[in-house]
Amino acid sequence: MAKEKARDLRARVALLWGEQDRPTRGPKPSLTPHRIAEAAVALADAEGLDAVSMSRVAAEFDVSAMALYRYVPGKDELVELMVESITAQAPDLSAAGDGWRPQIAEWARQSAKVYQAHPWLLAATAMRRQLMGPNQLGWLDAALAALEPTGLSASQQHRIFVLVAGLVRTHAEQSVDFDEEHNQEWNRLTGELLDRHAARFPALTSAIAAGAFAPDTVDPLEFSLDRILDGVQTLIDHA
């Protein structure tokens, strides 16, 4: 069983990196994993990740679902290819200016744009250690290159990357889940509850009265990113 899993993992890595064996005989393949992934991305962008199935994607090419298995073994592998497809455009940090701070901040902004353009990416990469292809590793490499001038240790730079990437993901989750009508109703009901139980939650009641939850023009991603990078600067100063 362990050997079978290892072979399966190696096959998935080869597919993701474009290193799978190609047939030397027979007719030339009419499809490619890349084309299949692009069709699946378009479907997910329009209808969400749950809408993606081998049969739905096959219909885009007027072939049977079985025909796709010649190129992609199943949906798990297809989703991995989809994630690789939408990260094909490596982050260009050249216009951000010199220095680690503007570089990693621009990396975060460009990463946020990928989530915004493809909200299903959250579900596709949720709570699992995912195989990474060359495009995804290119994003990681760009972030670590931006952090290299900090002079911090390699492990510290990696932890900072994880922190920034986690912030971007959290921001994306909040953006995807936000519903203005539901938010207004939640605020109304919460306000009514606190009016009745203000004595139980004095700090919260005081904060609300002071406008802690009032709408403002502050960009939540930029605010949080600045606070993280302030902390990184402090770490550098004390290194």
Side-chain angles (χ1 to χ4, degrees), residues 121-143:
L121 179 59
L122 290 165
T125 55
M127 300 301 292
R128 64 190 179 95
R129 192 170 187 130
Q130 181 188 357
L131 289 174
M132 298 180 71
N135 294 339
Q136 295 173 74
L137 287 180
W139 279 78
L140 172 56
D141 186 75

Side-chain angles (χ1 to χ4, degrees), residues 17 21 25 48 79 94 113 169 182 191 200 204 228:
W17 283 73
D21 294 332
R25 296 182 179 180
V79 170
S94 60
K113 289 180 180 178
R169 183 180 180 89
H182 179 272
R200 293 180 60 187
L204 176 58
I228 288 175

Side-chain angles (χ1 to χ4, degrees), residues 4 9 31 35 39 58 61 63 71 83 87 98 100 112 120 137 146 163 172 182 184 187 203 225:
E4 290 179 1
L9 187 59
L31 295 174
R35 286 185 63 201
F61 298 102
V63 299
Y71 307 93
V83 174
T87 54
D98 296 330
W100 67 269
W120 54 267
L137 287 180
L163 189 60
H182 179 272
Q184 291 179 2
N187 287 338
L225 185 59

